C-alpha cells in the first residue's frame, strides 16, 4: 500500500475524535505543519494528534469546513473495494434483521462507516447518492462492491444533492449499471408504492418515517385523513390502506400528486380522495375557511431549518404550519407533527405544538414520540445522524385546562 500523507491536528483538537466523532474541521488542523492546500479533494491521509500520535485514516477535502472524515481508526485500513464490501455486508445484515423484504436504506453514511454515501434499495434496483469528494474518487469501487454484495440488476447514481456543490463536485443523474426505469416499486408496511427515482426528491422515496407511518395506521380506520406536504403519498396512502374513509393530499408538485393517484390505485383504494395542488399554507387556510375538519392530520414538511442560521425563521415556519394543521383537527382527533430538520430539537418541536395549543385554546396530549427507522441508525457520537422526529398528539377543545 502506498504510504499516506499526514495531517496534524492542533492541541486538544483530537478530543471529539477520541470520543467517537468522525469529522475534522479545517480550523482544527495545524496548517503550519501540514498545510491543507497540499492535498487534492478526496485524498486519504493519516490523521495525527498534535504530539504526532496516529488516530487513523481520513478522506480530506481542503476546500470545505468539514475538511476530513475519519474512515478508520487504524492506519492500515484505507477505503477501497475490500473495505467497502466488508462494510456493505455489515450494513446489509442489519437491514435483513429489521425487514423481511428488500426495501430499505441500505447505507446511511456515517452511521454505517461510509461517510458521504447513501444507498436506497428497491428490490434489485439501487439508487446511490455520493456527497463527498472522497467517495466520488472511489465511485468505481463503490459500484463494484455493490454488485458483489447485492447483485442488483441496475444502479442509478442520483448525484444532484446540495452537498456536492459545497464539496466542489458536479451534479449529475446517470445509470451506473443496467437499465433503471422511470418508476420503481417498493413495499412499506404491506402497502405498495411506485417512486420516481429519476425525477423525484432525493432518491425518490423516504424510508425514514416507516415506523411512524405504521403507528399512524392505528388511528385511521373509518377516519378522515389529511396529508400535508404529501409528496407521493407515503403517509396518506398508508392511511387509506389502513381503512380511512377518505384522504386529502396537499403538495406543491403536480407531478408528485399524479403519483399519489397512481399509488392509491395500486392499492385498490375505494374510498374518497382529494388531491390539492398548491402552496400548503394557502391550501390549509382554504380548508379552514371551508370549515373542514379531519380525524387525523399529518404535518410532515421539508426541512425548514437547513443550517443553524435558519433556526429563527425555520421555527417560525414550523409554528405557522402546526397552527394551521391543529385548526384542522376534529375534536378528539390526532395531529402528527413531523420534522426532518436536524437543527430542530424534539423538545423544541414539542414546545411549538404546546404554544399553539395555548394560543388556540386546545387541550393536547402527547401520545407517541417517533424517530427514524432502523435502516437510518444513529451514530451515538454524531448527533447530526439523529435528525427525524414525529410527535403524535390527541387534540381536544380547551376543557378549561
Amino acid at each position: 500500500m502506498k504510504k499516506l500523507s499526514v495531517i496534524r491536528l492542533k492541541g486538544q483538537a483530537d478530543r471529539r475524535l477520541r470520543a467517537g466523532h468522525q469529522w475534522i474541521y479545517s480550523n482544527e488542523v495545524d496548517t503550519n505543519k501540514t498545510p491543507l492546500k497540499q492535498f487534492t479533494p478526496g485524498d486519504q491521509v493519516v490523521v495525527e494528534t498534535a504530539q504526532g500520535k496516529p488516530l487513523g485514516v481520513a478522506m480530506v477535502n481542503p476546500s470545505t469546513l468539514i475538511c476530513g472524515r475519519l474512515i478508520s481508526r487504524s492506519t492500515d485500513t484505507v477505503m477501497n473495494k475490500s473495505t467497502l464490501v466488508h462494510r456493505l455486508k455489515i450494513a446489509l445484515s442489519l437491514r435483513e434483521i429489521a425487514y423481511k423484504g428488500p426495501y430499505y436504506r441500505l447505507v446511511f453514511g456515517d452511521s454505517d462507516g461510509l461517510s458521504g454515501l447513501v444507498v436506497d434499495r428497491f428490490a434489485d434496483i439501487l439508487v446511490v447518492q455520493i456527497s463527498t469528494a472522497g467517495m466520488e474518487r472511489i465511485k468505481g469501487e463503490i459500484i463494484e462492491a455493490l454488485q458483489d454484495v447485492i447483485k442488483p440488476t441496475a444502479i442509478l447514481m442520483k448525484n444532484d444533492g446540495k452537498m456536492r456543490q459545497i464539496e466542489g463536485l458536479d451534479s449529475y443523474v446517470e445509470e451506473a449499471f443496467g437499465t433503471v426505469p422511470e418508476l420503481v416499486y417498493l413495499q412499506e408496511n404491506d402497502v405498495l408504492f411506485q417512486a420516481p427515482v429519476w425525477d423525484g426528491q432525493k432518491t425518490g422515496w423516504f424510508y425514514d418515517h416507516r415506523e411512524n407511518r405504521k403507528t399512524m395506521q392505528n388511528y385511521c380506520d373509518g377516519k378522515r385523513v389529511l396529508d400535508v406536504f404529501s409528496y407521493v403519498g407515503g403517509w396518506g396512502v398508508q392511511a387509506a390502506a389502513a381503512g380511512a374513509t377518505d384522504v386529502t393530499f396537499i403538495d406543491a408538485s403536480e407531478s408528485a400528486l399524479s403519483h399519489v393517484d397512481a399509488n392509491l390505485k395500486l392499492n385498490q383504494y375505494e374510498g374518497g380522495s382529494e388531491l390539492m395542488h398548491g402552496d400548503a399554507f394557502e391550501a390549509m387556510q382554504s380548508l379552514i375557511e371551508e370549515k373542514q375538519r379531519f380525524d387525523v392530520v399529518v404535518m410532515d414538511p421539508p426541512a425548514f431549518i437547513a443550517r443553524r442560521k435558519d433556526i429563527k425563521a425555520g421555527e417560525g415556519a414550523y409554528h405557522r404550519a402546526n397552527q394551521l394543521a391543529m385548526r384542522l383537527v376534529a375534536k378528539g382527533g390526532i395531529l402528527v407533527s413531523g420534522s426532518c430538520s436536524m437543527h430542530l430539537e424534539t423538545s423544541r418541536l414539542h414546545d411549538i405544538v404546546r404554544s399553539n395549543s395555548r394560543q388556540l385554546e386546545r387541550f393536547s396530549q402527547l401520545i407517541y414520540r417517533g424517530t427514524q427507522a432502523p435502516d437510518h441508525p444513529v451514530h451515538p457520537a454524531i448527533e447530526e445522524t439523529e435528525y427525524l422526529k414525529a410527535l403524535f398528539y390527541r387534540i381536544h377543545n380547551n376543557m378549561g385546562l
Side-chain angles (χ1 to χ4, degrees), residues 68 115 158-159 183 225 250 266 294-295 304 314 328 332 348 385:
S115 186
K158 189 75 181 294
N159 289 335
L183 300 172
V225 177
I250 300 175
L266 195 62
F294 300 86
D295 302 299
F304 289 146
L328 288 165
R348 186 67 189 115
T385 63

Side-chain angles (χ1 to χ4, degrees), residues 52-219:
K53 185 175 181 179
L55 293 170
V57 175
M59 289 177 164
V60 297
N61 188 337
S63 305
T64 58
L65 176 62
I66 303 173
C67 69
R69 296 169 186 269
L70 208 65
I71 57 175
S72 171
R73 296 186 182 270
S74 166
T75 57
D76 296 326
T77 301
V78 297
M79 191 61 75
N80 54 23
K81 182 182 174 182
S82 176
T83 302
L84 286 163
V85 167
H86 177 63
R87 294 188 182 177
L88 284 173
K89 287 180 177 179
I90 294 173
L92 177 62
S93 67
L94 168 62
R95 279 68 181 182
E96 289 183 336
I97 291 171
Y99 305 113
K100 294 179 181 178
Y103 309 102
Y104 40 69
R105 174 149 291 182
L106 173 64
V107 175
F108 183 48
D110 293 278
S111 295
D112 287 302
L114 295 167
S115 186
L117 180 66
V118 163
V119 182
D120 276 358
R121 184 177 187 180
F122 304 93
D124 55 359
I125 294 174
L126 302 179
V127 180
V128 178
Q129 286 193 313
I130 292 173
S131 60
T132 63
M135 284 298 180
E136 184 73 15
R137 177 86 73 86
I138 59 169
K139 180 175 70 173
E141 287 92 331
I142 291 171
I143 294 167
E144 291 178 4
L146 286 169
Q147 288 175 306
D148 286 357
V149 176
I150 305 298
K151 296 179 173 51
T153 59
I155 299 175
L156 180 69
M157 306 300 293
K158 189 75 181 294
N159 289 335
D160 57 356
K162 294 178 182 178
M163 273 295 297
R164 290 183 64 86
Q165 185 176 359
I166 296 173
E167 289 274 324
L169 300 173
D170 293 335
S171 178
Y172 64 90
V173 180
E174 66 182 24
E175 290 166 329
F177 166 72
T179 301
V180 180
E182 291 295 322
L183 300 172
V184 300
Y185 292 88
L186 66 124
Q187 189 170 359
E188 183 179 289
N189 300 325
D190 297 322
V191 182
L192 301 175
F193 290 93
Q194 64 177 36
V197 292
W198 282 86
D199 302 321
Q201 297 178 24
K202 299 295 180 67
T203 63
W205 181 255
F206 297 93
Y207 282 119
D208 50 5
H209 268 303
R210 182 196 312 250
E211 305 302 326
N212 303 321
R213 292 173 181 143
K214 184 177 182 180
T215 298
M216 174 217 49
Q217 288 184 308
N218 296 329
Y219 302 99

Side-chain angles (χ1 to χ4, degrees), residues 319-330:
H319 189 281
R320 184 181 171 213
N322 279 278
Q323 186 177 90
L324 290 168
M326 189 176 290
R327 292 173 66 185
L328 288 165
V329 179

Side-chain angles (χ1 to χ4, degrees), residues 2 14 36 41 84 94 100 144 171 199 235 291 305 332 357:
K2 178 183 175 183
D14 60 317
L36 284 171
L84 286 163
L94 168 62
K100 294 179 181 178
E144 291 178 4
S171 178
D199 302 321
W235 291 89
K291 300 188 184 304
I305 307 174
S357 297

Side-chain angles (χ1 to χ4, degrees), residues 246-399:
D246 65 89
V247 187
T248 297
F249 300 83
I250 300 175
D251 201 85
S253 169
E254 199 166 4
S255 173
L257 289 173
S258 71
H259 294 300
V260 169
D261 190 48
N263 285 326
L264 287 170
K265 292 175 180 175
L266 195 62
N267 290 278
Q268 301 179 336
Y269 179 58
E270 297 180 352
S273 63
E274 182 178 0
L275 309 179
M276 297 184 67
H277 173 227
D279 177 80
F281 293 91
E282 294 176 2
M284 284 191 288
Q285 185 61 50
S286 175
L287 290 171
I288 290 169
E289 292 170 1
E290 294 172 9
K291 300 188 184 304
Q292 297 272 8
R293 295 294 183 270
F294 300 86
D295 302 299
V296 178
V297 176
V298 178
M299 169 61 57
D300 182 26
F304 289 146
I305 307 174
R307 297 158 295 184
R308 286 190 184 277
K309 68 178 184 178
D310 302 325
I311 289 177
K312 185 175 181 180
E315 286 187 353
Y318 280 109
H319 189 281
R320 184 181 171 213
N322 279 278
Q323 186 177 90
L324 290 168
M326 189 176 290
R327 292 173 66 185
L328 288 165
V329 179
K331 180 180 178 181
I334 303 297
L335 170 65
V336 178
S337 181
S339 169
C340 59
S341 296
M342 187 275 293
H343 295 295
L344 181 70
E345 295 181 359
T346 302
S347 60
R348 186 67 189 115
L349 178 59
H350 179 58
D351 194 48
I352 287 171
V353 177
R354 178 203 56 77
S355 175
N356 279 319
S357 297
R358 297 305 306 136
Q359 290 179 19
L360 297 175
E361 296 188 341
R362 302 289 196 273
F363 179 73
S364 61
Q365 299 167 297
L366 178 63
I367 58 176
Y368 176 77
R369 296 176 188 262
T371 185
Q372 57 221 56
D375 56 350
H376 291 67
V378 174
H379 190 299
I382 306 178
E383 64 178 10
E384 292 85 355
T385 63
E386 185 173 11
Y387 67 98
L388 197 75
K389 62 278 301 179
L391 303 181
F392 287 49
Y393 297 87
R394 193 180 188 211
I395 309 296
H396 279 278
N397 291 340
N398 197 332
M399 293 174 56

Side-chain angles (χ1 to χ4, degrees), residues 35-57:
L36 284 171
K37 62 183 180 181
Q38 68 180 301
F39 301 110
T40 300
D43 282 352
Q44 297 188 41
V45 302
V46 172
V47 182
E48 292 183 350
T49 66
Q51 294 74 36
K53 185 175 181 179
L55 293 170
V57 175

